[in-house]
Each structure stands twice: as C-alpha cells, then as structure tokens.
Amino acid sequence: GAGVSQSPSNKVTEKGKDVELRCDPISGHTALYWYRQSLGQGLEFLIYFQGNSAPDKSGLPSDRFSAERTGGSVSTLTIQRTQQEDSAVYLCASSSRGRATQYFGPGTRLTVL
Amino acid sequence: ELKVEQNPLFLSMQEGKNYTIYCNYSTTSDRLYWYRQDPGKSLESLFVLLSNGAVKQEGRLMASLDTKARLSTLHITAAVHDLSATYFCAVDMWDSGGGADGLTFGKGTHLIIQP
C-alpha cells in the first residue's frame, strides 16, 4: 500500500517567513512522528502524536515550532519566523501504534535564505 | 538524557569482507531499531530487536541485541557494493522516562563498499 507522503519535497523561503510542512501517514496508523535531520545535529526527534493529541512537545526546538494533527490522519508542522538554523530535512514517520516500527516519509528539504 | 553512540562513523571496505557496526546506548531499553539511508533518500527500516539476545538476519546483514551490555551490533557478511549506505541505530525514548514515544538516533555509520 501507499507509504508515508510529505509535501512539499523542497521548500526555499526567506528568513522571517512562515512555512507549513505536511505529512500524510500510512492509512490506519495511529501514531505519527516528526523528526529533523541536519548535518550538524543528526536526526532529532521533534514531536509525536497518538491520534490527534501530542502528549509531549518538549522536543520542539523553540516556540516558533508548532504541530497539529486533525482527524487522526494528516499532520502539519508549522515554523514561524524562520531562521537560517531551521534549514534541514524534516522527516515524518508513522506507526500502527505506539512503540511499533516507524515508517518514514521522503522528507521535506527546507532551505532558509 | 538518552545517548546513542555508533562506531565507526565512517567505514570503507572492500567487497567480500566482513565487518561489524556497534551501537551503544545509555539507558535500559529492550527495543532497538536499525535503519538504512541511501543518499538523498529517506530511512528504510531494517530490523527491530525487541528483547535481550534477539538476533535477526536479512541477506548479508545480521543484527543482535544485548540489553545488559546496552549494545547492539550490525554485522555485514561478504559485503557487496549495493550495501553502501548510511546505517543508523535508534533506541525508543519511552524507556528513558520521557514519556515521548520517539526514537533517539545514533549519528549514523557511513559505509562505502568498494569493488
């Protein structure tokens, strides 16, 4: 079946602009995760959703980052007032339930000029 | 804070040789994952190890878990060029008490297999 999809695949923005990144999990997967991958920091966990709720938001790098999930499916990661250090690949993953194998999407490469 | 360390971080080897990648982690966990990433691509799940002594094999790759030593290994047998990629191990953060159901990754092992 279809895997995790993310859009856009690439996003170039100017410093100070807001961006929205979208993730469509595998159908039926209740758990959804956001990660960030950069050369300097490696792979970092940002936030996870069980259903529509996010029990722990402490992984988000700053209050400019927010995420939501509606209808237990699609999730949006929003970065406000982007900074150059936000440049990275943002990866979304989903799993059938909590603590099961996570399947990753292709990622969104964000470049902040 | 949960820490996951891989070594080596870079490995260049010849086809036909055997080698092992090591993954140490700092907290008790009975759940460890191995992923593969090709350049410009996303992460592909290879193995999930769920208990002490777990061993899984797929083709030329074999992964094992020793929860007492907090160590997992990924062994490559008779390497072939197609196995060139970056390999990550990851530990479930849940067991570190954070309550967040995410993964903490090692820095990855960049593996190049030369003909």
Side-chain angles (χ1 to χ4, degrees), chain B residues 14-80:
Chain B
Q14 289 185 317
E15 281 190 325
K17 299 291 187 181
N18 303 332
Y19 210 82
T20 301
I21 299 169
Y22 297 88
C23 174
N24 289 90
Y25 53 95
S26 63
T27 189
T28 56
S29 177
D30 61 356
R31 192 175 296 252
L32 188 135
Y33 301 83
W34 284 96
Y35 286 87
R36 167 179 173 153
Q37 186 175 40
D38 291 293
K41 304 292 185 181
S42 191
L43 293 158
E44 174 191 354
S45 175
L46 293 175
F47 301 108
V48 54
L49 302 167
L50 298 176
S51 62
N52 186 40
V55 177
K56 290 197 173 178
Q57 183 164 4
E58 180 73 32
R60 300 175 187 273
L61 300 178
M62 183 174 70
S64 66
L65 178 62
D66 181 342
T67 58
K68 293 179 181 178
R70 301 180 186 176
L71 171 68
S72 180
T73 61
L74 181 65
H75 187 73
I76 304 156
T77 301
V80 293

Side-chain angles (χ1 to χ4, degrees), chain A residues 56-69:
Chain A
D56 185 347
K57 301 180 181 179
S58 61
L60 295 174
S62 76
D63 58 9
R64 296 184 295 104
F65 287 71
S66 63
E68 65 176 13
R69 189 180 186 195

